């Protein structure tokens, strides 16, 4: 059985050894303390890559038969180069595949490196965990931004969180500066900008109590997600759609299904399904390893 290493880079670095699509041993993390989750933003690219390689060496445990290494990170990635990474701006332009390969070789790990978007890593991890490696799946990650991942991997930016879901000129809360984006409605940061007097948790609590402004926004939030999902289905066909992330608790999946029924009317496209799943960081580690294994042709 092939030994692969999966790496997830988000608020923290998480690295694990994966055998037969399952974690083999503990996941190593940096920083270990949740109170230091913003520490990565302060590390320059070389230091970040060095820390990833150090943790990879720890999980490898001296093994010389590592077949592939997968690195999942937030941002636009093409041919191993990070073209854009708003959450970790120091990575913009970084040739992460080459940088990490060199650091790994210095530690005795000579294996091909695959770099992918972290949302795609989540999709691959869920596909593996749910026995759907022979199917197409999509994943929405609901958090500060809105992540969109798909499996199997296909070339493209897949920035589904920036799907245009409204032509209302007032919808300009997206962090990228674009108008009418899904993230500008659903993203945690965007919601805080919209409701300067209320936190997102208070908005959805207000909707439960019947506050008209909060009820209206809850409907907008769900209709925006339905619109982006329906657009994806019309472009790529029906499939399993998973929903996860730190803001999953805001989701009313019954409401989402009702809006989806209004938007997807052609019967050949109605075989999609929606499922909410817990956001488990280890799933991205496994997904990164699975993607690297497939890219290496194992």
């Amino acid at each position: 059985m092939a030994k692969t290493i999966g790496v997830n880079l988000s608020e923290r670095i998480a690295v694990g050894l994966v055998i037969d699509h399952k974690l083999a041993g503990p996941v190593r993390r940096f920083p270990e303390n949740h109170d230091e989750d913003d520490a990565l933003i302060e590390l320059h690219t070389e230091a970040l890559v060095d820390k990833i390689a150090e943790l990879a060496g720890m999980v490898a445990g001296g093994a010389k038969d590592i077949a592939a290494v997968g690195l999942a990170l937030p941002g636009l990635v093409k041919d191993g180069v990070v073209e854009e990474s708003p959450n970790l701006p120091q990575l913009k332009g970084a040739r992460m595949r080459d940088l990490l390969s060199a650091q790994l070789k210095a530690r005795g790990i000579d294996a091909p490196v695959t770099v992918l978007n972290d949302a795609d890593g989540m999709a691959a991890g869920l596909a593996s965990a749910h026995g759907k490696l022979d199917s197409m799946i999509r994943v929405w990650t609901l958090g500060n931004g809105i992540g969109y991942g798909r499996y199997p991997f296909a070339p493209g930016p897949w920035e589904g969180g920036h799907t245009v879901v409204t032509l209302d000129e007032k919808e300009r809360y997206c962090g990228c500066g674009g108008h009418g984006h899904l993230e500008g409605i659903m993203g945690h940061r965007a919601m805080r900008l919209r409701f300067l007097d209320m936190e997102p948790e208070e908005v959805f609590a207000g909707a439960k109590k019947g506050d008209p402004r909060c009820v209206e926004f809850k409907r907008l939030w769900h209709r925006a997600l339905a619109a982006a999902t329906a657009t994806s289905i019309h472009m790529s066909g029906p499939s399993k759609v998973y929903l996860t992330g730190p803001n999953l608790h805001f989701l009313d999946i019954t409401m989402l299904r009702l809006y989806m029924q209004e938007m997807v009317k052609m019967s050949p496209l109605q075989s999609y399904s929606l499922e909410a799943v817990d956001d488990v960081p280890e799933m991205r580690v496994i997904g990164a390893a699975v993607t690297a294994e497939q890219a290496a042709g194992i």
Side-chain angles (χ1 to χ4, degrees):
M1 292 182 289
K3 294 180 181 178
T4 54
I5 292 176
V7 182
N8 181 55
L9 183 59
S10 53
E11 289 84 7
R12 295 194 288 170
I13 302 169
V15 184
L17 179 65
V18 177
I19 302 176
D20 193 24
H21 300 171
K22 295 181 176 60
L23 285 170
V27 171
R28 299 284 185 172
R29 293 181 171 84
F30 174 83
E32 295 184 5
N33 192 334
H34 275 290
D35 294 337
E36 301 177 58
D37 276 356
D38 294 329
L40 299 190
I41 197 71
E42 300 174 3
L43 291 179
H44 56 77
T45 301
E46 290 74 14
L48 199 56
V49 172
D50 183 68
K51 180 57 69 173
I52 292 171
E54 177 187 330
L55 295 177
M58 292 170 67
V59 302
K64 302 298 183 182
D65 56 346
I66 301 298
V69 177
L71 168 60
L73 54 81
L76 287 170
V77 180
K78 184 177 181 181
D79 296 329
V81 179
V82 182
E83 296 187 331
E84 188 67 67
S85 183
N87 294 342
L88 294 169
Q90 71 269 41
L91 297 185
K92 183 173 182 177
R95 306 181 70 85
M96 289 297 286
R97 181 174 60 198
D98 295 342
L99 290 171
L100 184 56
S101 293
Q103 287 286 355
L104 289 172
K105 284 180 181 178
R107 288 172 169 78
I109 301 174
D110 189 3
V113 174
T114 298
V115 184
L116 62 150
N117 180 270
D118 60 339
D120 288 331
M122 185 65 171
L126 286 169
S128 176
H130 291 265
K132 293 187 176 294
L133 287 173
D134 58 348
S135 306
M136 182 177 77
I137 70 166
R138 301 172 174 90
V139 183
W140 289 111
T141 301
L142 315 179
N144 192 50
I146 303 298
Y148 174 78
R150 55 163 284 165
Y151 173 89
F153 173 78
W158 307 119
E159 281 296 322
H162 298 277
T163 300
V164 176
V165 293
T166 175
L167 300 180
D168 185 347
E169 295 180 356
K170 296 178 182 178
E171 293 297 343
R172 50 178 182 267
Y173 294 101
C174 189
C176 78
H179 288 205
H181 292 190
L182 177 67
E183 189 169 303
I185 293 172
M186 296 187 67
H188 200 87
R189 173 187 176 276
M191 287 190 284
R192 295 188 73 187
L193 289 173
R194 183 187 302 265
F195 292 91
L196 294 175
D197 59 332
M198 303 173 73
E199 288 293 318
E201 289 77 9
E202 296 174 303
V203 174
F204 282 87
K208 285 185 178 180
K209 297 176 182 177
D211 182 309
R213 183 170 67 134
C214 297
V215 169
E216 181 182 359
F217 178 74
K218 179 181 178 180
R219 290 172 178 161
L220 173 66
W221 196 89
H222 284 81
R223 287 187 70 86
L225 181 56
T229 307
T231 297
S232 175
I233 288 171
H234 284 98
M235 293 294 287
S236 303
S239 71
K240 186 83 173 183
V241 181
Y242 291 99
L243 304 114
T244 189
N247 281 350
L248 184 65
H249 58 291
F250 294 149
L251 178 70
D252 182 335
I253 200 162
T254 300
M255 178 179 285
L256 178 62
R257 288 194 175 108
L258 289 173
Y259 287 142
M260 287 289 297
Q261 289 171 13
E262 295 176 358
M263 296 178 186
V264 182
K265 289 296 188 180
M266 289 182 279
S267 56
L269 300 178
Q270 292 178 351
S271 59
Y272 64 86
S273 61
L274 307 172
E275 183 177 343
V277 293
D278 290 336
D279 188 359
V280 181
E282 289 78 6
M283 197 68 71
R284 290 183 175 83
V285 172
I286 294 172
V290 168
T291 302
E293 178 182 303
Q294 293 180 343
I298 300 170

